[in-house]
Amino acid sequence: MNSRRNFLQKLGLSALAVQFSPVTGWAKNQAQVSDQPYDGPVLRVAIMGIGTYGNIVARALQASTKAKLVGVISGSPEKVKDWQSKYGIPDKNVYNYSNFENIKNNPDIDAIYVIVPNFLHKPYALRAATTGKHVICEKPLGRNAKESQDIVDGCKKAGVKLLVGYRMHFEPKNLEIISMRNAGDFGKIKYFTGNGGFRIGDPTQWRLDREKAGGGSMMDIGIYAVNGARYMVGEDPIWVTAQELPKSDTTKFKEGVDETITFQMGFPSGAVAQCLSTYGMNYVDRFLLIGERGWAELNPANGYGPLKGRTNKGELKAVSPPMQQTVQMDEMAGILLEGKTPVVAVDGEEAIKDSKIIDAVYEAVKTGKKVLLKLS
């Protein structure tokens, strides 16, 4: 495993292997799902960016009930032709990065899903907002809290809804743990640990370019621990401390590109979190929540494939979907078209909080001091 792509492929192998399996097969195991075919509104999506993750979302949309892939925005004509063949996208719904504002005149597209490198999130999300279509943007929303705030403000000004690609907020095992915590099964929460990472490969990729990524591992894999700590503990942190480990390769991990950071967060209730974000170690993918009367663990915690989880009461009962992104898009369609409220927020305000925490982590690394947080 020597690249992000290999990392994603390995963690997502089970999901991708069943990408064409009907999600209804999974859904029939869920007691709340009706046997009646869906007959409600469908979110018609244009994907911007057809790299590795864009392709995963496209495949997931094939099995979606409430969302459908209808358009594509890309600067790669040959790839676009392949997408048109695979997904039946008509010529009138094909755009490039120079003309995609013309989507405002296309009544067959409801939302634009921005899946491009971090440094393009702000300019492209703001341009997408001017089309009058809803905007879904991958995380992190911006390279820092200011960029994230600018995107939120731009979408509000344009009068469009903004969602962020927090797929784990809809993942059944995560939601089962949150439900158990809310029911008091674990008692008062005392501790959380969130570890994520892999050995990154190609040194020329944009994720190892500070200007394009906004940092290093914290901007890519660290955000899972930042966000996971918040929804697992059920609070927003009030302080952060952090330490950067010595770099194994200063050519690959240049100034401003972190390889490994450990960071700690404190919460109003007194709970604490200890987290790790790394581009230097494989097999790092675990959440652990500990309360006064019980505990819950996810291992793996963030991969695309089925997650594994248990608590002090035994194995988690929730069934993992074939593709997390299918559930994500179904649920996002419900939010955008029907006004549904998710268990864990996936809006721009949620993303701003994560960006503020990541900014504070970098500040704590630089200063060696505890950084106080004000997230609301």
Side-chain angles (χ1 to χ4, degrees), residues 182-208:
N182 289 342
D185 289 4
F186 308 128
K188 183 179 180 181
I189 301 302
K190 305 293 288 184
Y191 178 81
F192 171 84
T193 186
N195 299 328
F198 58 96
R199 291 182 63 85
I200 198 166
D202 180 7
T204 66
Q205 64 182 282
W206 67 264
R207 290 181 180 85
L208 295 176

Tab-separated table of all heavy atoms in Angstrom, residues 182-208:
chain	number	residue	atom	x	y	z
A	182	ASN	N	-26.892	8.431	23.257
A	182	ASN	CA	-28.026	9.282	23.625
A	182	ASN	C	-28.966	8.598	24.611
A	182	ASN	O	-29.616	9.260	25.426
A	182	ASN	CB	-28.795	9.693	22.372
A	182	ASN	CG	-28.034	10.690	21.516
A	182	ASN	OD1	-27.092	11.331	21.984
A	182	ASN	ND2	-28.429	10.826	20.258
A	183	ALA	N	-29.042	7.273	24.517
A	183	ALA	CA	-29.906	6.512	25.433
A	183	ALA	C	-29.259	6.309	26.797
A	183	ALA	O	-29.891	5.755	27.704
A	183	ALA	CB	-30.249	5.166	24.809
A	184	GLY	N	-28.012	6.732	26.938
A	184	GLY	CA	-27.325	6.602	28.219
A	184	GLY	C	-26.635	5.270	28.438
A	184	GLY	O	-26.204	4.972	29.558
A	185	ASP	N	-26.527	4.446	27.387
A	185	ASP	CA	-25.940	3.111	27.540
A	185	ASP	C	-24.496	3.142	28.019
A	185	ASP	O	-24.039	2.206	28.685
A	185	ASP	CB	-26.006	2.348	26.215
A	185	ASP	CG	-27.419	1.939	25.847
A	185	ASP	OD1	-28.350	2.327	26.586
A	185	ASP	OD2	-27.603	1.248	24.834
A	186	PHE	N	-23.763	4.203	27.675
A	186	PHE	CA	-22.350	4.265	28.058
A	186	PHE	C	-22.114	5.124	29.296
A	186	PHE	O	-20.988	5.213	29.788
A	186	PHE	CB	-21.508	4.826	26.900
A	186	PHE	CG	-21.725	4.122	25.600
A	186	PHE	CD1	-22.024	4.849	24.452
A	186	PHE	CD2	-21.660	2.745	25.505
A	186	PHE	CE1	-22.226	4.213	23.241
A	186	PHE	CE2	-21.876	2.097	24.294
A	186	PHE	CZ	-22.162	2.828	23.161
A	187	GLY	N	-23.180	5.745	29.801
A	187	GLY	CA	-23.008	6.657	30.916
A	187	GLY	C	-22.326	7.934	30.461
A	187	GLY	O	-22.254	8.237	29.263
A	188	LYS	N	-21.795	8.682	31.395
A	188	LYS	CA	-21.105	9.926	31.060
A	188	LYS	C	-19.868	9.624	30.229
A	188	LYS	O	-19.050	8.780	30.592
A	188	LYS	CB	-20.709	10.673	32.333
A	188	LYS	CG	-20.049	12.019	32.064
A	188	LYS	CD	-19.687	12.741	33.358
A	188	LYS	CE	-19.028	14.094	33.057
A	188	LYS	NZ	-18.651	14.819	34.298
A	189	ILE	N	-19.730	10.302	29.101
A	189	ILE	CA	-18.581	10.059	28.228
A	189	ILE	C	-17.337	10.682	28.837
A	189	ILE	O	-17.329	11.849	29.249
A	189	ILE	CB	-18.836	10.637	26.819
A	189	ILE	CG1	-20.080	9.992	26.201
A	189	ILE	CG2	-17.610	10.436	25.926
A	189	ILE	CD1	-20.022	8.490	26.076
A	190	LYS	N	-16.264	9.882	28.867
A	190	LYS	CA	-15.017	10.328	29.487
A	190	LYS	C	-13.869	10.488	28.488
A	190	LYS	O	-13.012	11.355	28.667
A	190	LYS	CB	-14.589	9.326	30.568
A	190	LYS	CG	-15.624	9.048	31.631
A	190	LYS	CD	-15.877	10.270	32.498
A	190	LYS	CE	-14.722	10.563	33.430
A	190	LYS	NZ	-15.007	11.696	34.342
A	191	TYR	N	-13.869	9.642	27.424
A	191	TYR	CA	-12.676	9.589	26.570
A	191	TYR	C	-13.027	9.131	25.163
A	191	TYR	O	-13.918	8.293	24.970
A	191	TYR	CB	-11.665	8.613	27.185
A	191	TYR	CG	-10.399	8.406	26.390
A	191	TYR	CD1	-9.349	9.315	26.470
A	191	TYR	CD2	-10.246	7.300	25.560
A	191	TYR	CE1	-8.174	9.116	25.740
A	191	TYR	CE2	-9.091	7.099	24.825
A	191	TYR	CZ	-8.065	8.017	24.918
A	191	TYR	OH	-6.917	7.825	24.198
A	192	PHE	N	-12.322	9.704	24.206
A	192	PHE	CA	-12.437	9.258	22.817
A	192	PHE	C	-11.049	9.213	22.206
A	192	PHE	O	-10.217	10.083	22.473
A	192	PHE	CB	-13.318	10.226	22.012
A	192	PHE	CG	-13.314	9.962	20.522
A	192	PHE	CD1	-14.172	9.009	19.984
A	192	PHE	CD2	-12.463	10.645	19.670
A	192	PHE	CE1	-14.169	8.740	18.615
A	192	PHE	CE2	-12.463	10.401	18.303
A	192	PHE	CZ	-13.313	9.439	17.779
A	193	THR	N	-10.806	8.204	21.390
A	193	THR	CA	-9.594	8.211	20.581
A	193	THR	C	-9.969	7.961	19.130
A	193	THR	O	-10.826	7.124	18.829
A	193	THR	CB	-8.577	7.148	21.062
A	193	THR	OG1	-7.361	7.299	20.326
A	193	THR	CG2	-9.092	5.740	20.862
A	194	GLY	N	-9.357	8.736	18.239
A	194	GLY	CA	-9.600	8.588	16.817
A	194	GLY	C	-8.280	8.577	16.079
A	194	GLY	O	-7.535	9.565	16.125
A	195	ASN	N	-7.955	7.465	15.445
A	195	ASN	CA	-6.690	7.316	14.739
A	195	ASN	C	-6.947	7.010	13.271
A	195	ASN	O	-7.753	6.142	12.946
A	195	ASN	CB	-5.863	6.180	15.343
A	195	ASN	CG	-5.524	6.428	16.802
A	195	ASN	OD1	-5.354	7.570	17.217
A	195	ASN	ND2	-5.432	5.371	17.590
A	196	GLY	N	-6.255	7.709	12.381
A	196	GLY	CA	-6.418	7.457	10.953
A	196	GLY	C	-5.134	7.739	10.203
A	196	GLY	O	-4.412	8.686	10.529
A	197	GLY	N	-4.842	6.898	9.214
A	197	GLY	CA	-3.658	7.179	8.417
A	197	GLY	C	-3.268	6.051	7.489
A	197	GLY	O	-3.827	4.957	7.527
A	198	PHE	N	-2.296	6.339	6.657
A	198	PHE	CA	-1.747	5.375	5.710
A	198	PHE	C	-0.430	5.946	5.190
A	198	PHE	O	-0.129	7.128	5.377
A	198	PHE	CB	-2.718	5.132	4.542
A	198	PHE	CG	-3.080	6.380	3.783
A	198	PHE	CD1	-2.412	6.730	2.610
A	198	PHE	CD2	-4.098	7.217	4.240
A	198	PHE	CE1	-2.744	7.887	1.917
A	198	PHE	CE2	-4.434	8.371	3.543
A	198	PHE	CZ	-3.767	8.702	2.378
A	199	ARG	N	0.365	5.117	4.549
A	199	ARG	CA	1.613	5.569	3.948
A	199	ARG	C	1.306	6.128	2.557
A	199	ARG	O	0.914	5.369	1.662
A	199	ARG	CB	2.624	4.429	3.871
A	199	ARG	CG	3.140	3.977	5.235
A	199	ARG	CD	4.192	2.869	5.102
A	199	ARG	NE	5.372	3.350	4.399
A	199	ARG	CZ	6.385	3.996	4.978
A	199	ARG	NH1	6.342	4.247	6.284
A	199	ARG	NH2	7.436	4.376	4.282
A	200	ILE	N	1.474	7.413	2.399
A	200	ILE	CA	1.132	8.046	1.130
A	200	ILE	C	2.226	7.789	0.096
A	200	ILE	O	3.405	7.658	0.443
A	200	ILE	CB	0.890	9.559	1.332
A	200	ILE	CG1	0.123	10.156	0.145
A	200	ILE	CG2	2.195	10.300	1.592
A	200	ILE	CD1	-0.440	11.529	0.409
A	201	GLY	N	1.821	7.713	-1.167
A	201	GLY	CA	2.760	7.356	-2.215
A	201	GLY	C	3.298	8.539	-2.996
A	201	GLY	O	4.080	9.333	-2.479
A	202	ASP	N	2.882	8.663	-4.235
A	202	ASP	CA	3.384	9.630	-5.210
A	202	ASP	C	3.710	10.998	-4.588
A	202	ASP	O	2.816	11.739	-4.179
A	202	ASP	CB	2.328	9.807	-6.305
A	202	ASP	CG	2.757	10.793	-7.378
A	202	ASP	OD1	3.924	11.236	-7.351
A	202	ASP	OD2	1.916	11.115	-8.232
A	203	PRO	N	4.980	11.371	-4.520
A	203	PRO	CA	5.354	12.639	-3.882
A	203	PRO	C	4.952	13.875	-4.680
A	203	PRO	O	5.000	14.994	-4.156
A	203	PRO	CB	6.883	12.526	-3.781
A	203	PRO	CG	7.279	11.613	-4.889
A	203	PRO	CD	6.156	10.615	-4.985
A	204	THR	N	4.539	13.687	-5.943
A	204	THR	CA	4.156	14.841	-6.774
A	204	THR	C	2.667	15.146	-6.722
A	204	THR	O	2.216	16.121	-7.325
A	204	THR	CB	4.558	14.588	-8.242
A	204	THR	OG1	3.783	13.494	-8.776
A	204	THR	CG2	6.036	14.254	-8.360
A	205	GLN	N	1.875	14.339	-6.013
A	205	GLN	CA	0.425	14.540	-5.995
A	205	GLN	C	0.062	15.810	-5.231
A	205	GLN	O	0.803	16.299	-4.372
A	205	GLN	CB	-0.273	13.341	-5.371
A	205	GLN	CG	0.063	13.089	-3.902
A	205	GLN	CD	-0.625	11.866	-3.369
A	205	GLN	OE1	-1.815	11.897	-3.049
A	205	GLN	NE2	0.104	10.753	-3.294
A	206	TRP	N	-1.129	16.335	-5.522
A	206	TRP	CA	-1.543	17.604	-4.941
A	206	TRP	C	-1.703	17.537	-3.425
A	206	TRP	O	-1.563	18.572	-2.744
A	206	TRP	CB	-2.837	18.110	-5.592
A	206	TRP	CG	-4.072	17.293	-5.328
A	206	TRP	CD1	-4.595	16.321	-6.120
A	206	TRP	CD2	-4.948	17.387	-4.184
A	206	TRP	NE1	-5.735	15.800	-5.548
A	206	TRP	CE2	-5.969	16.440	-4.368
A	206	TRP	CE3	-4.943	18.187	-3.045
A	206	TRP	CZ2	-6.993	16.264	-3.434
A	206	TRP	CZ3	-5.969	18.007	-2.108
A	206	TRP	CH2	-6.973	17.054	-2.314
A	207	ARG	N	-1.952	16.376	-2.867
A	207	ARG	CA	-2.130	16.261	-1.415
A	207	ARG	C	-0.843	16.556	-0.645
A	207	ARG	O	-0.883	16.771	0.569
A	207	ARG	CB	-2.662	14.870	-1.048
A	207	ARG	CG	-4.103	14.647	-1.492
A	207	ARG	CD	-4.616	13.276	-1.112
A	207	ARG	NE	-5.984	13.118	-1.563
A	207	ARG	CZ	-6.318	12.724	-2.803
A	207	ARG	NH1	-5.365	12.449	-3.686
A	207	ARG	NH2	-7.588	12.608	-3.146
A	208	LEU	N	0.289	16.531	-1.336
A	208	LEU	CA	1.568	16.842	-0.700
A	208	LEU	C	2.077	18.215	-1.133
A	208	LEU	O	3.267	18.519	-0.982
A	208	LEU	CB	2.597	15.753	-1.037
A	208	LEU	CG	2.262	14.372	-0.462
A	208	LEU	CD1	3.266	13.331	-0.919
A	208	LEU	CD2	2.205	14.416	1.071
